[in-house]
Amino acid sequence: MTANGITENKNQPQTMVAGVALFDYDGDGYLDVFLVGGAAIPSLVKESPKYWNRLFHNNHDGTFTDVTEKAGLAGAGYGSGVAVGDYDNDGWPDLFLANVTGNQLFHNNGDGTFTDVTAKAGLAGAKLNGKKMWSVGAGWFDYNNDGLLDLFVVNYCQWEVNKDPYCMVKSGVRGFCHPNHYGPLHNTLYRNNGDGTFTDVSAETGIASHFGKGMSVSFADYDGDGYLDAFVANDTTRNFLFHNLKGKKFAEVGIQAGVAYAPDGRARSGMGSDFRDVNNDGLPDIWHTAAPRLLYSEPWLFEQPEA
């Protein structure tokens, strides 16, 4: 099991559950399990093995073996999410970790081990006002149709350890603050250069112009123009739908498309999403999940009308 730091200071990351990936890392035809781990607070460091990320190898008999150390995937810092993709087209799935602290990219060596190539790839994480943004999730997709997987990183809110506002609950004791108490962030888009490195193209593509509190991203070509578009589920701020303009730029069209808000016109506490054809009419729809009613939200479906 993995863990995250618990303190009385009600640090916002304490409210988050971490990501999981099911993928066949060793090519034996069986899905293995990767769990993202947190870190101690206030250090935001994996001070002991209880904070490690964990990789469990599928033994083909209903049991799993912890191979974290052998694989080199214990990780560093405070983890949030994970995305699987073969970014170098070598036939082996690689792992990107979205973290509160520095993000990480692990290259699958094809022999049961992984190498941290974050520094070479340039994927440690974008900054806002000189501070690394809190990344909660990510997704691999080829936005410019060059045959290489690019990376969309979802960033959440502006936060610093032990500097959360002091929020009171009805009983008069300190509680965790509503996301409205934290500033929004923009997301990050990295173009795959094809040589093991990536370039941050968030500004030039228009992604960085839109600030929200992202929790997840999903992809589909919703208008059939041959280019993948991106839907971002935001927590307490309106959702984003980034229309891909021929692999050059993105236009945010969530309001026009009718996916920015819930049917009652309010922003919800968006969490997860899936972007696919749920009713087999040939058009990708958006299944959007959100936090419980406590945060004024519930799941709903955006169905794309037939032309």
Side-chain angles (χ1 to χ4, degrees):
M1 296 296 290
T2 60
N4 68 326
I6 301 296
T7 75
E8 293 302 315
N9 291 321
K10 305 299 182 183
N11 285 279
Q12 191 71 358
Q14 293 177 223
T15 68
M16 301 292 185
V17 295
V20 59
L22 304 177
F23 73 123
D24 182 9
Y25 81 94
D26 57 349
D28 63 357
Y30 289 80
L31 288 177
D32 310 294
V33 181
F34 180 81
L35 301 175
V36 179
I41 293 177
S43 70
L44 304 182
V45 172
K46 295 186 186 300
E47 295 178 352
S48 73
K50 74 177 182 179
Y51 299 113
W52 286 0
N53 305 316
R54 294 287 176 176
L55 177 64
F56 292 95
H57 176 255
N58 191 327
N59 299 323
H60 312 171
D61 60 2
T63 67
F64 292 79
T65 299
D66 187 340
V67 294
T68 306
E69 284 193 270
K70 176 184 177 182
L73 287 177
Y78 200 117
S80 289
V82 57
V84 177
D86 180 10
Y87 76 90
D88 59 347
N89 292 334
D90 66 354
W92 297 97
D94 309 298
L95 283 178
F96 175 81
L97 299 185
N99 296 330
V100 178
T101 49
N103 301 329
Q104 292 182 283
L105 177 64
F106 288 95
H107 177 255
N108 190 330
N109 300 319
D111 59 1
T113 69
F114 291 75
T115 299
D116 186 338
V117 295
T118 311
K120 175 186 176 181
L123 292 179
K127 296 181 178 181
L128 180 69
N129 299 326
K131 298 174 183 177
K132 191 267 176 184
M133 292 189 286
W134 173 0
S135 302
V136 297
W140 296 97
F141 76 130
D142 182 5
Y143 84 90
N144 54 1
N145 291 350
D146 65 353
L148 301 169
L149 286 179
D150 309 296
L151 183 65
F152 192 109
V153 179
V154 181
N155 299 312
Y156 183 48
C157 69
Q158 299 176 39
W159 173 84
E160 292 184 66
V161 66
N162 284 345
K163 292 185 179 180
D164 293 72
Y166 199 97
C167 297
M168 304 293 290
V169 295
K170 290 182 179 180
S171 58
V173 299
R174 184 176 186 180
F176 291 101
C177 291
H178 190 279
N180 288 344
H181 289 268
Y182 303 87
L185 296 173
H186 66 76
N187 300 300
T188 314
L189 177 62
Y190 294 97
R191 185 184 65 232
N192 190 332
N193 299 321
D195 59 1
T197 68
F198 292 77
T199 298
D200 184 341
V201 293
S202 309
E204 68 183 71
T205 58
I207 297 295
S209 300
H210 303 278
F211 283 70
K213 295 172 185 173
M215 291 297 291
S216 67
V217 63
S218 51
F219 309 105
D221 178 12
Y222 81 93
D223 59 343
D225 66 353
Y227 290 83
L228 287 174
D229 312 294
F231 174 80
V232 176
N234 283 314
D235 185 8
T236 71
T237 60
R238 67 179 179 87
N239 300 321
F240 297 144
L241 177 58
F242 290 106
H243 178 223
N244 191 334
L245 304 179
K246 308 300 182 183
K248 303 296 183 181
K249 291 182 179 293
F250 288 82
E252 202 290 292
V253 296
I255 293 177
Q256 300 93 309
V259 301
Y261 300 100
D264 64 1
R266 294 189 298 173
R268 297 303 206 216
S269 297
M271 298 290 151
S273 64
D274 202 1
F275 205 163
R276 64 180 63 202
D277 184 4
V278 301
N279 57 354
N280 294 326
D281 65 354
L283 299 170
D285 311 297
I286 297 173
W287 178 256
H288 177 272
T289 63
R293 195 69 181 176
L294 179 63
L295 289 179
Y296 321 110
S297 193
E298 61 277 330
W300 73 92
L301 172 68
F302 293 114
E303 182 179 341
Q304 187 174 171
E306 295 185 22

